[in-house]
Amino acid sequence: VLRLAGGKLLCDCWGESMSGGVGGGSLGAGLPYHKFVSFALEETRLRTTLTPHPSQEKFKSIKPNDDNTVFNALSFSAPKIRLLRSLTIEKKNSFQVLDFAAFSEPEYDLPIFCANVFTTPTQSIVVLDLNPLYDTTVHKDYKDKYYRSIMPLVHKYNELLPWGGKITSESLKFFSPIVIWTIFESTEHNHHVWLELMDQAIKENNKATVARNQEEQHKYLTWRAEKDPGYPLLKKLIGESCAEDLVMEFLFEGVNTLGTKSFLDYFPEYARDDGSVSKKRSMIGKSFETRPWDTNGEFIGDAEAQR
Ligand code: BLA
């Protein structure tokens, strides 16, 4: 168990193996989103072999100071998958978090599987998406490759899970035209689309393309490791340095190894006069009151973004 004692990280890991079957108590039965996580892992195991990721040992059970809060962290890799990781957090009578993501090896340009839910007693903030590795408003070929055939999914879920309203504008370039961004009551949801894409993914041998894939994944990790909306709450729960470890070495593992560019190299608009990174979450603010893609996935939100 990884716990905070007097501000220091102590590691005494659980003896239980996490690499065996799914659904055991070690997965956090009874925890929020346990069903989602075990379903996702079960479905993934039908297609591939998951191997525990090195980051799992350190983070598989983080014990915050607050006795009412429970963390559960799992991470794996597999052929084609560099990192598949899941973090659930529950604070009794307060909130529940699911942050589930899967990143491919840079030899593939697969979108990033992203299931993210923050639930309080009154609402759930939900982002479910195959986050594009390449901005789909710029890279039409990428958009056609991965999203053209699955655009009908939007019709299927749009009515039940309507657009959540204004959102941090910078997030849009990390979202795909099929993104489900919603704020609502109920919580559970899942589908197989990413696993099907993974099955079909063909390994890229061109070094320049692999390097480009790697840089785009690094850019995504760099954004989220710095600006994820969950970061401030994580700091509150487990302290600044523990939260930083979790973000850098678990949630967005790879941010320190996949590339050398800095946050400001990717997002220069966040530079302050003294060369440091602006603490602001967003430079543009919130916009996109309504879904900014049409049914063909064409981006139609430009005018609104300017407001
Ligand atoms: C809120 N989380 C949000 C919001 C989004 C996301 C869009 C609404 C606020 C906003 O518009 O920014 C999620 N944003 C994403 C995702 C991407 C993105 C997935 O750009 C991907 C590219 N969330 C977590 C964890 C915690 C958490 C680990 O994943 C906390 C431990 C909390 N999310 C959290 C909280 C809010 C939130 C507290 C509401 C507070 C706020 O709006 O700032």
Side-chain angles (χ1 to χ4, degrees), residues 173-174 219 222-223 262-271:
K173 57 178 172 293
F174 299 106
K219 179 179 179 183
T222 302
W223 170 259
S262 70
F263 184 84
L264 290 178
D265 290 335
Y266 291 125
F267 311 103
E269 64 278 17
Y270 280 83

Side-chain angles (χ1 to χ4, degrees), residues 16 86-87 142-144 161 182 186 201 213 236 239 244 278:
E16 291 166 72
S86 159
L87 176 69
Y142 189 84
K143 194 185 107 192
D144 284 348
L161 306 165
T182 195
S186 161
N213 288 342
K236 219 183 275 178
E244 193 179 319
S278 168

Side-chain angles (χ1 to χ4, degrees), residues 138-302:
V138 182
H139 300 269
K140 301 287 179 211
D141 50 336
Y142 189 84
K143 194 185 107 192
D144 284 348
K145 181 175 180 183
Y146 286 115
Y147 301 101
R148 208 216 305 242
S149 66
I150 57 174
M151 277 314 295
L153 280 176
V154 173
H155 311 285
K156 200 168 160 194
Y157 297 112
N158 216 3
E159 217 163 290
L160 193 65
L161 306 165
W163 186 254
K166 285 194 177 176
I167 183 162
T168 304
S169 308
E170 283 86 346
S171 291
L172 256 282
K173 57 178 172 293
F174 299 106
F175 286 2
S176 84
I178 61 151
V179 67
I180 295 169
W181 144 245
T182 195
I183 299 188
F184 81 123
E185 318 276 309
S186 161
T187 48
E188 259 167 56
H189 187 69
N190 44 54
H191 54 69
H192 294 148
V193 170
W194 196 77
L195 293 174
E196 261 143 44
L197 293 178
M198 180 193 74
D199 279 348
Q200 291 152 19
I202 295 160
K203 186 169 184 169
E204 177 62 61
N205 290 315
N206 181 295
K207 276 198 178 139
T209 310
V210 172
R212 209 163 67 115
N213 288 342
Q214 180 158 329
E215 178 164 312
E216 290 300 314
Q217 188 174 137
H218 185 246
K219 179 179 179 183
Y220 178 94
L221 294 167
T222 302
W223 170 259
R224 292 201 60 193
E226 181 79 28
K227 296 295 179 193
D228 200 76
Y231 208 170
L233 178 57
L234 270 185
K235 284 183 191 164
K236 219 183 275 178
L237 291 171
I238 56 176
E240 190 146 357
S241 78
C242 203
E244 193 179 319
D245 275 4
L246 186 66
V247 163
M248 300 291 179
E249 298 172 34
F250 183 82
L251 289 177
F252 307 112
E253 196 278 334
V255 68
N256 289 328
T257 52
L258 289 191
T260 52
K261 284 194 181 171
S262 70
F263 184 84
L264 290 178
D265 290 335
Y266 291 125
F267 311 103
E269 64 278 17
Y270 280 83
R272 288 197 296 208
D273 289 344
D274 65 356
S276 62
V277 176
S278 168
K279 294 273 177 272
K280 279 193 194 166
R281 267 266 307 285
S282 167
M283 302 309 278
I284 316 176
K286 296 204 184 198
S287 51
F288 306 106
E289 189 113 46
T290 55
R291 188 174 190 86
W293 290 275
D294 70 12
T295 50
N296 294 316
E298 284 303 313
F299 191 68
I300 50 168
D302 261 336

